[in-house]
């Protein structure tokens, strides 16, 4: 019911077992992707200044971040960037306007609107040449930078949320 092999000495396990394999690196989060790419330093600083850095880093997701590059922020000029850093509530609203719930890859982007984390919509236009344009003037440059908690879509401009509509007065003494 088997085979026996004769050997000339006793077998023993090796004295130095092979080292355990190194643990797999932790999956890259959205903020890790931004840091590794290297051209999102202003966005990372803005996320940190508003307290959103940790929220984006630890969010279980999935989230989609339409991420303006340093060049995109540069279009605002140093005065524009400084003005945003002086008003963190406005900056946080702008940053949340770049975040969409869910894992929205470029193949998922179709003509229409998507609601962002601040409650406003962005408008997507997929052009016949394959370009994806947000709000009529912002181009998705690098697509589908995958992270463990979502995806990053690099864009060439900072998106600005639509202005709040003026409030309507209901004071009966007005007429």
């Amino acid at each position: 019911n088997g085979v026996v092999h004769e050997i000339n000495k006793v077998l023993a396990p090796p004295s130095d077992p092979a080292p355990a394999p190194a643990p797999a690196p932790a999956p890259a989060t959205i903020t890790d992707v931004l840091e590794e790419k290297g051209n999102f330093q202003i966005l990372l600083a803005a996320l940190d200044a508003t307290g959103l850095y940790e929220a984006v880093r630890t969010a279980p997701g999935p989230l989609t971040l339409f991420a303006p590059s340093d060049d995109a922020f540069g279009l605002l000029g140093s005065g524009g960037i400084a003005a945003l850093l002086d008003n963190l509530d406005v900056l946080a609203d702008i940053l949340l306007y770049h975040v969409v719930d869910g894992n929205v890859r470029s193949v998922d982007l179709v003509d229409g609107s998507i609601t962002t984390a601040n409650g406003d919509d962005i408008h997507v236009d997929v052009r016949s040449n394959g370009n994806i344009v947000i709000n009529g003037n912002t181009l998705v440059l690098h697509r589908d930078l995958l992270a463990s908690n979502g995806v990053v879509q690099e864009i060439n401009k900072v998106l600005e949320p639509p202005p709040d509509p003026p409030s309507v007065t209901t004071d009966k003494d007005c007429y």
Side-chain angles (χ1 to χ4, degrees):
N1 68 353
V3 177
V4 175
H5 295 278
E6 182 179 342
I7 57 174
N8 64 355
K9 62 182 177 177
V10 175
L11 296 177
S15 57
D16 287 333
T29 65
I30 288 174
T31 54
D32 294 334
V33 170
L34 296 175
E35 289 170 0
E36 288 170 15
K37 190 89 162 95
N39 62 332
F40 296 104
Q41 298 309 308
I42 298 171
L43 175 58
L44 287 164
L47 288 167
D48 190 48
T50 58
L52 293 172
Y53 178 92
E54 200 60 27
V56 170
R57 187 181 74 74
T58 61
L63 299 174
T64 299
L65 176 62
F66 289 93
S69 66
D70 290 339
D71 289 341
F73 274 100
L75 296 174
L76 300 175
S78 60
I81 295 169
L84 288 176
L85 290 171
D86 285 342
N87 192 337
L88 296 181
D89 290 338
V90 169
L91 180 57
D93 187 52
I94 289 171
L95 294 174
L96 291 172
Y97 188 58
H98 290 76
V99 177
V100 173
D101 188 35
N103 200 9
V104 183
R105 296 190 181 189
S106 58
V107 296
D108 302 321
L109 291 169
V110 296
D111 292 347
S113 297
I114 302 172
T115 301
T116 66
N118 79 344
D120 291 318
D121 289 342
I122 58 173
H123 302 283
V124 177
D125 180 21
V126 180
R127 304 282 168 88
S128 60
N129 63 3
N131 286 342
I132 300 170
V133 179
I134 308 295
N135 290 349
N137 65 358
T138 303
L139 185 63
V140 176
L141 295 176
H142 294 103
R143 303 174 185 186
D144 303 334
L145 304 172
L146 301 179
S148 61
N149 62 341
V151 62
V152 175
Q153 306 290 355
E154 181 181 341
I155 56 176
N156 70 337
K157 293 184 181 175
V158 175
L159 300 173
E160 295 182 38
D164 291 330
S167 61
V168 177
T169 182
T170 58
D171 187 357
K172 295 179 183 176
D173 295 331
C174 289
Y175 51 93

